[in-house]
Amino acid sequence: MQMAARAGLVVEGGGQRSLNGVQGGVVDGGAARQFVEQKQSLYQQQSQIGTVSQLLAGGVAGAVSKTCTAPLARLTILFQVQGMHTDVATLSKASIWREASRIVCEEGFRAFWKGNLVTIAHRLPYSSVSFYAYERYKNLLQSVPGLESHRESIGADVCVRLLGGGFAGITAASFTYPLDLVRTRLAAQTNVTYYRGIWHALQTICRDESAFGLYKGLGATLLGVGPSIAISFSVYETLRCSWQTRRPQDSTALVSLACGSLSGIASSTVTFPLDLVRRRKQLEGAGGRARVYNSGLFGTFQHIVRTEGFRGLYRGILPEYYKVVPSVGIVFMTYETIKMLLSE
């Protein structure tokens, strides 16, 4: 009498196919249960390793990118905040080369990396959380009944990427915002050093402005980071998939670098005004200075447009483009490369 219990068999078109590689293998129920338990245990272990690898890849990618582009990032911040305490009439004289020369002459070449330590401390968790959360949100959205039946639709795919990127950006920014604020204040210091480091800045801000001071500009950040990450991830994945479909033989690293650079330009162009307002809100009351903007987010927008014109919302966009092209490209290239290395 043959036993009816067979492990790992499925019915396909009236036939049977072995999932465990042994055609027609006959095992008892206990062995079948043991086999299933082993498979579940292996899956959980692989899932855990995948999570750690993904977090590590995202964190290292962000840290490498920010270190490489720190000089341009600092120039962008200095240009963004010039309109706060400077006569607008003098701003027409500002240029990237002149500001870079001033930094070298007055502060030294190493000053281009001022605040980079806190940038790395911010980017490690920020990039880790954003990449990891993006994959989790994307998987979650793809399982939604309304979208699950349209997986092959380009529109639904782009929608999932936009929503996943937006949620991921909001999640990452909320977790790491105080470090982002401290980094801005350290990078905005020129001749006078008010904050001596990360911990001193955190303590001083809490003492002078209360704990809520660590979250100044959070509204503008969340309003901007959602669309920024959403555009960045969706443009990147759409371009990469299209590129690799047409030219599968091209280098994965170079494709990631090119597509990441284009996605960075797209996201920065759309969200730069919000980033500028965020920087200025972060610097409110820094170093004991008087408040400049006594209104909320939209009141700050109106104040900038009224005093500096519409172009004031894009002050510093040129060094931002110089920064974002290599920065976002390096992020995605490093992320994809580390993921491949860790998966091997």
Side-chain angles (χ1 to χ4, degrees):
M1 179 178 174
Q2 292 183 344
M3 298 179 64
R6 295 177 181 267
L9 297 179
V10 293
V11 179
E12 279 189 3
Q16 290 184 327
R17 178 168 57 88
S18 174
L19 293 180
N20 60 3
V22 182
Q23 293 289 343
V26 181
V27 296
D28 58 26
R33 284 194 299 272
Q34 184 179 4
F35 175 77
V36 172
E37 290 173 357
Q38 288 175 348
K39 293 289 285 183
Q40 290 176 342
S41 176
L42 179 62
Y43 174 80
Q44 291 174 352
Q45 184 179 4
Q46 289 175 339
S47 178
Q48 184 179 7
I49 293 173
T51 298
V52 174
S53 299
Q54 196 172 38
L55 289 170
L56 179 62
V60 173
V64 170
S65 170
K66 283 298 180 180
T67 301
C68 291
T69 59
L72 289 167
R74 185 163 188 234
L75 285 171
T76 299
I77 292 174
L78 291 175
F79 274 102
Q80 284 179 325
V81 302
Q82 276 182 338
M84 289 185 69
H85 303 286
T86 307
D87 184 4
V88 177
T90 66
L91 295 179
S92 59
K93 302 177 182 178
S95 71
I96 295 176
W97 176 251
R98 185 177 292 109
E99 185 64 21
S101 300
R102 184 202 63 77
I103 292 173
V104 173
C105 294
E106 297 181 6
E107 306 175 57
F109 187 75
R110 291 179 60 187
F112 281 117
W113 280 266
K114 183 180 286 186
N116 190 57
L117 181 60
V118 69
T119 298
I120 294 175
H122 168 255
R123 275 291 145 173
L124 279 169
Y126 179 86
S127 296
S128 297
V129 172
S130 60
F131 275 105
Y132 178 75
Y134 174 68
E135 297 294 341
R136 300 285 79 75
Y137 282 128
K138 190 171 66 171
N139 292 338
L140 180 64
L141 290 167
Q142 286 174 340
S143 65
V144 173
L147 294 174
E148 191 176 23
S149 58
H150 297 83
R151 284 186 176 180
E152 302 302 323
S153 169
I154 296 177
D157 201 28
V158 172
C159 180
V160 166
R161 291 169 182 171
L162 283 170
L163 289 174
F167 291 145
I170 291 172
T171 301
S174 300
F175 272 106
T176 61
Y177 187 77
L179 286 171
D180 183 40
L181 180 137
V182 168
R183 177 244 176 174
T184 299
R185 296 202 175 183
L186 289 174
Q189 293 184 141
T190 52
N191 296 323
V192 179
T193 302
Y194 190 77
Y195 304 110
R196 296 192 298 271
I198 300 174
W199 293 113
H200 181 256
L202 289 169
Q203 294 170 355
T204 304
I205 293 169
C206 288
R207 185 193 66 212
D208 297 346
E209 307 165 51
S210 79
F212 291 106
L214 295 173
Y215 292 89
K216 283 184 176 178
L218 179 61
T221 298
L222 295 182
L223 196 61
V225 77
S228 177
I229 300 295
I231 293 170
S232 184
F233 274 115
S234 60
V235 171
Y236 168 74
E237 283 208 3
T238 302
L239 289 175
R240 190 191 64 169
C241 291
S242 177
W243 189 324
Q244 291 181 332
T245 300
R246 290 171 171 79
R247 300 175 61 89
Q249 73 279 4
D250 287 351
S251 168
T252 301
L254 292 178
V255 171
S256 299
L257 182 63
C259 295
S261 299
L262 292 173
S263 71
I265 292 174
S267 63
S268 291
T269 301
V270 174
T271 62
F272 189 80
L274 283 167
D275 187 59
L276 181 138
V277 170
R278 171 174 71 98
R279 296 296 186 197
R280 295 196 179 185
K281 295 293 285 184
Q282 286 177 335
L283 289 170
E284 282 278 38
R289 286 184 170 185
R291 293 177 60 88
V292 178
Y293 309 110
N294 296 311
S295 54
L297 176 63
F298 295 104
T300 303
F301 270 109
Q302 293 174 351
H303 185 279
I304 293 172
V305 173
R306 185 173 64 251
T307 57
E308 304 173 48
F310 183 77
R311 292 178 60 184
L313 294 174
Y314 284 89
R315 191 175 306 284
I317 190 67
L318 192 58
E320 173 70 9
Y321 281 150
Y322 292 156
K323 176 198 76 174
V324 80
V325 169
S327 176
V328 181
I330 291 171
V331 165
F332 282 111
M333 182 184 69
T334 307
Y335 177 69
E336 298 290 352
T337 303
I338 294 177
K339 269 207 316 183
M340 286 192 297
L341 292 174
L342 292 175
S343 64
E344 294 174 358

